[in-house]
Amino acid sequence: MPYFLEPISNVTVPAGRDVGLACVVDHLGSYKLAWIQRDRSAILTVGNHVITRNHRIGVSHDGHRTWYLKIKDVRPGDAGTYMCQINTAVAISQTGHVSVVVPPYIKDEMSSRDVGLLECMDLTLACSARGSPVPTIKWRREDGSNIRVNLTTSMVEVPGPLLQLTQVSRTDMGAYLCIASNGIPPSVSKRIQVEVKFLPTVFVPHQLVGVPLSQDVTIECYIEAYPAGLNYWKRPNGIEVLHSDDKYEVKEVVGSQKYKTHMLLTISDVSLADIGEYNCIANNSQGGAEQVVRVSASNPVQYNRNALEKDASAALKDDHDDHHKWPPRTPNTQQRQTTNKRLPNQSFDHDSSSPPSSSAAPTSSAFFQRDCMWLQQLGTITWPIVLLTVTLQGYSGQVEDVWCLW
């Protein structure tokens, strides 16, 4: 009577490879050995003959005691239990199992594609993978930065077939990788590009820039916008500066993220005509924005304080002589001006139509001090340019107006 010398070994094979099962029998004699796919109750071979019409199935005998069932180009459907059976009066058999492992693959038709959306919207990305064993899925950003799942949570990796992002912002823009693996190499991934559209924003690091006349100066601004649009400068006279020329050099430098741009404008040989406000302007399909950079001359003329005081004293002395030589002034009488700037809110109570009293005792000394300042308001900064102190000696008349001299 025939009998089995050893059990059939279970095998695991990647899809696409060939596999063989061995059945070792002693004293087979005139009996026949058959291979049967038990899960389907399908007879594959009997003796040296192949019964099935599956051209990938074969059988061989080593001439002694071993019979081989061979399966070429193994497919996932070939997985299952195979029986080696001998047709004795009471059939004897033994089984072996074939496991087919399949590297992971991603089903594109069931996964998300590249997507664009507005800032502050919610987004869900899907990834569907197959394989044997069943693959696990995780998400990563292509640049290695964290994934911001919601307003308070961010992670380097997010597990699961769905990636849900809450209120996406411009920092969420970029490529996301869906990675599927099941322990059977190679792992596979799908790249999904996320583009977040938003209104331009403009940031000016230096709102006030001073430059000596006849020198060059560079002003700058930073723009964030997507999709990209038209960025340019506007001069104080309203003329747009779109391209470089002999007077202006325009540069646009793309930042670390594609929605960031660094704008620079270099003005050559600055003159008074170049002083004023320059607008940095950004426009795209979502809207526009702009910010202002003020360019001012930073080298005002230096004044001689002693000379100013001397001239002011001389001018006021002439006024003192006029009070004694001429009739009293009226409001219609032209006043002597030592400058074109009148000190605001500085006057003395008097009757300009009344002459000074001739009987009044002359005052040996009359002293007053006024600070004359040219106040140039730039943003929130006030710049003192001239400080003038005037002292009147031996003047007993009335002072109608005080004027700043520069």
Side-chain angles (χ1 to χ4, degrees):
M1 288 289 294
Y3 59 92
F4 298 108
L5 293 177
E6 56 187 67
I8 300 174
S9 299
N10 296 330
V11 294
T12 299
V13 59
R17 302 283 184 88
D18 297 343
V19 67
L21 297 176
C23 183
V24 183
V25 180
D26 199 9
H27 300 299
L28 182 61
S30 60
Y31 294 100
K32 300 296 183 182
L33 183 146
W35 284 99
I36 302 171
Q37 188 173 14
R38 193 176 71 174
D39 300 335
R40 299 180 181 179
S41 299
I43 299 175
L44 304 177
T45 69
V46 175
N48 290 317
H49 301 284
V50 176
I51 305 302
T52 180
R53 294 182 180 180
N54 187 341
H55 67 279
R56 297 182 296 107
I57 301 297
V59 65
S60 65
H61 181 230
D62 67 354
H64 297 286
R65 295 176 293 187
T66 306
W67 296 80
Y68 295 97
L69 174 68
K70 295 181 179 179
I71 308 174
K72 296 179 179 179
D73 186 22
V74 172
R75 299 174 183 176
D78 296 326
T81 301
Y82 291 80
M83 177 187 296
C84 171
Q85 187 179 78
I86 301 173
N87 64 339
T88 55
V90 177
I92 60 173
S93 64
Q94 64 177 356
T95 59
H97 190 81
V98 174
S99 297
V100 180
V101 294
V102 180
Y105 62 95
I106 293 175
K107 297 182 69 67
D108 285 337
E109 66 276 13
M110 300 179 65
S111 302
S112 297
R113 299 181 180 181
D114 293 347
V115 61
L117 71 165
L118 298 178
E119 201 167 34
C120 294
M121 294 181 64
D122 295 341
L123 173 65
T124 299
L125 299 179
C127 183
S128 177
R130 298 290 187 271
S132 179
V134 176
T136 59
I137 297 175
K138 60 185 176 183
W139 296 86
R140 289 182 182 174
R141 294 191 66 166
E142 188 177 56
D143 60 5
S145 59
N146 285 356
I147 297 176
R148 191 178 62 88
V149 180
N150 53 47
L151 299 179
T152 59
T153 305
S154 62
M155 307 168 66
V156 176
E157 291 184 356
V158 178
L162 297 179
L163 175 63
Q164 296 178 323
L165 305 178
T166 303
Q167 295 186 14
V168 297
S169 71
R170 62 198 68 182
T171 59
D172 299 317
M173 187 184 306
Y176 291 76
L177 300 177
C178 157
I179 304 171
S181 58
N182 65 352
I184 310 301
S187 297
V188 293
S189 65
K190 177 179 175 64
R191 184 178 186 271
I192 302 173
Q193 182 70 32
V194 174
E195 296 180 345
V196 180
K197 302 176 183 179
F198 57 92
L199 287 166
T201 57
V202 180
F203 169 69
V204 172
H206 307 290
Q207 295 182 343
L208 176 64
V209 177
V211 57
L213 297 180
S214 302
Q215 299 295 314
D216 298 348
V217 67
T218 298
I219 58 178
E220 61 181 341
C221 67
Y222 292 88
I223 295 172
E224 294 187 3
Y226 194 84
L230 177 62
N231 305 324
Y232 60 95
W233 292 91
K234 184 180 288 187
R235 293 162 50 189
N237 57 10
I239 298 178
E240 297 172 351
V241 183
L242 300 175
H243 307 288
S244 298
D245 55 26
D246 294 339
K247 180 67 176 179
Y248 301 99
E249 181 183 6
V250 179
K251 287 185 179 180
E252 288 192 36
V253 181
V254 178
S256 57
Q257 301 291 338
K258 65 180 180 180
Y259 60 84
K260 293 183 177 182
T261 303
H262 186 195
M263 292 280 292
L264 300 106
L265 176 65
T266 299
I267 310 169
S268 302
D269 190 20
V270 174
S271 65
L272 289 176
D274 299 317
I275 302 303
E277 295 183 349
Y278 289 76
N279 292 66
C280 175
I281 302 174
N283 291 306
N284 71 358
S285 59
Q286 304 302 305
E290 62 182 273
Q291 285 290 342
V292 174
V293 180
R294 295 179 176 87
V295 175
S296 64
S298 63
N299 57 342
V301 179
Q302 300 297 320
Y303 296 98
N304 188 307
R305 179 188 181 101
N306 294 333
L308 289 174
E309 291 182 351
K310 181 178 179 182
D311 291 343
S313 297
L316 290 173
K317 183 177 183 301
D318 290 342
D319 251 356
H320 166 72
D321 294 341
D322 288 344
H323 275 276
H324 292 277
K325 293 180 180 180
W326 306 101
R329 294 183 183 182
T330 67
N332 295 328
T333 305
Q334 183 177 4
Q335 300 176 359
R336 178 182 180 87
Q337 290 187 225
T338 58
T339 181
N340 62 353
K341 294 287 185 178
R342 180 171 181 172
L343 191 67
N345 301 324
Q346 302 294 338
S347 62
F348 296 88
D349 294 333
H350 66 282
D351 182 1
S352 60
S353 61
S354 302
S357 173
S358 58
S359 60
T363 303
S364 60
S365 159
F367 172 82
F368 71 92
Q369 174 177 306
R370 292 292 181 267
D371 294 335
C372 293
M373 300 182 71
W374 176 20
L375 304 180
Q376 183 179 15
Q377 186 73 20
L378 296 174
T380 58
I381 304 173
T382 300
W383 298 89
I385 305 301
V386 177
L387 179 61
L388 177 63
T389 301
V390 179
T391 302
L392 302 184
Q393 297 290 341
Y395 177 56
S396 61
Q398 293 178 325
V399 179
E400 295 185 7
D401 297 285
V402 177
W403 297 86
C404 287
L405 175 66
W406 63 75

